[in-house]
Amino acid sequence: KSQRTERTKIDLFALLRGRGFPKKITDKLITEYGPAAAIIVARNPYCLMRYKGCGFLGTDKMYLDLKHNPARLKRQALCAWHAVASQSSGDTWFPFHVVRDGLVQNIASATVDIPRAMELATRGGLLVEKFDKGQRWVAERARAEQEAAIADLIEEARQEAKVTPPVWTHLVPLIADVTDHQRENLESATTEIIGVLAGRPGTGKTYTVARLVKLLQDQYGQDQIA
């Protein structure tokens, strides 16, 4: 068993060397797949994406370096997902052309089948899509579900506020050790049942919220704060 493990480590090292993956990934793969780890990774480099530090671009380059089929539909579905997941605007939903452009760019050397790639990506739980006002939108399934859950919670809170108004607005003037600017923004953030305290790094958001939480602890007790 020890010899098989050592052989697997050597094979994995040869596969992963110089690709920028985390150093501990070898041990994790052996724990997950045992002596067959190197064979499994060589057949499907995308299995590495489940581990932190192994992104799509690195695993896709490995896939191509190992001479796998560049037009494989699974690769196209992952490319479609990556086109959305790599967006940094902070939005959840994106126009469909983001997927189309990403596929054309990343599958440049092979025939692109956008409809089937999208079908596989949605069936596999990577992406979801919707149509609104004649435009097609696409999002990561996980983020879309999170956004919907937050929207439900906000609406629930809005309904609660009709029965029980916010109780913390009057506490803000009692908070000590904050600047006038911090207090002003905190007052703005606590006028409704849902509030946002925003600001640039270093403006004291965490510090200010900590002062509010301390006061809420004193007033209402630890078990009333989530």
Side-chain angles (χ1 to χ4, degrees):
K1 182 179 178 180
S2 177
Q3 288 178 338
R4 288 198 303 269
T5 299
E6 192 62 29
R7 180 72 249 176
T8 302
K9 282 187 176 181
I10 293 172
D11 291 343
L12 283 173
F13 180 77
L15 275 173
L16 305 175
R17 180 176 54 194
R19 296 190 177 277
F21 296 133
K23 293 181 179 179
K24 294 183 178 180
I25 192 68
T26 299
D27 293 333
K28 292 180 179 179
L29 288 167
I30 292 175
T31 300
E32 179 76 17
Y33 301 115
I39 297 173
I40 291 172
V41 172
R43 288 177 178 173
N44 178 27
Y46 298 118
C47 71
L48 295 172
M49 290 176 61
R50 61 190 298 186
Y51 301 102
K52 186 176 181 180
C54 301
F56 169 77
L57 294 179
T59 55
D60 188 56
K61 185 178 187 305
M62 182 177 175
Y63 176 89
L64 295 176
D65 290 345
L66 293 173
K67 308 301 181 184
H68 290 301
N69 178 14
R72 186 183 177 191
L73 197 59
K74 179 179 180 179
R75 180 184 180 231
Q76 296 195 30
L78 287 169
C79 281
W81 165 81
H82 178 260
V84 175
S86 61
Q87 299 297 314
S88 59
S89 65
D91 295 318
T92 299
W93 292 89
F94 298 90
F96 185 73
H97 72 76
V98 170
V99 169
R100 184 181 63 243
D101 296 346
L103 277 169
V104 172
Q105 178 179 349
N106 287 304
I107 314 291
S109 61
T111 303
V112 178
D113 192 335
I114 296 176
R116 292 183 65 205
M118 270 301 300
E119 180 185 359
L120 182 58
T122 53
R123 194 171 69 241
L126 297 173
L127 298 175
V128 290
E129 58 181 338
K130 66 180 181 180
F131 292 86
D132 184 53
K133 298 179 180 178
Q135 187 165 357
R136 189 178 183 183
W137 298 85
V138 63
E140 286 186 89
R141 176 179 291 277
R143 290 190 179 184
E145 291 176 348
Q146 291 163 3
E147 182 182 74
I150 291 172
D152 289 341
L153 290 170
I154 291 174
E155 180 58 25
E156 181 182 337
R158 288 179 65 243
Q159 297 303 320
E160 289 177 1
K162 295 178 181 179
V163 180
T164 306
V167 297
W168 54 1
T169 306
H170 70 283
L171 295 177
V172 176
L174 303 178
I175 298 176
D177 302 324
V178 295
T179 67
D180 292 340
H181 177 72
Q182 290 167 339
R183 190 185 305 280
E184 178 183 343
N185 280 273
L186 190 58
E187 287 177 347
S188 175
T190 55
T191 54
E192 300 290 344
I193 196 73
I194 299 292
V196 176
L197 182 68
R200 295 182 179 181
T203 54
K205 299 182 295 295
T206 303
Y207 175 86
T208 304
V209 170
R211 305 279 76 73
L212 174 62
V213 170
K214 178 63 170 63
L215 190 59
L216 290 171
Q217 285 178 328
D218 296 340
Q219 294 281 334
Y220 298 101
Q222 175 70 36
D223 61 343
Q224 295 299 310
I225 303 173

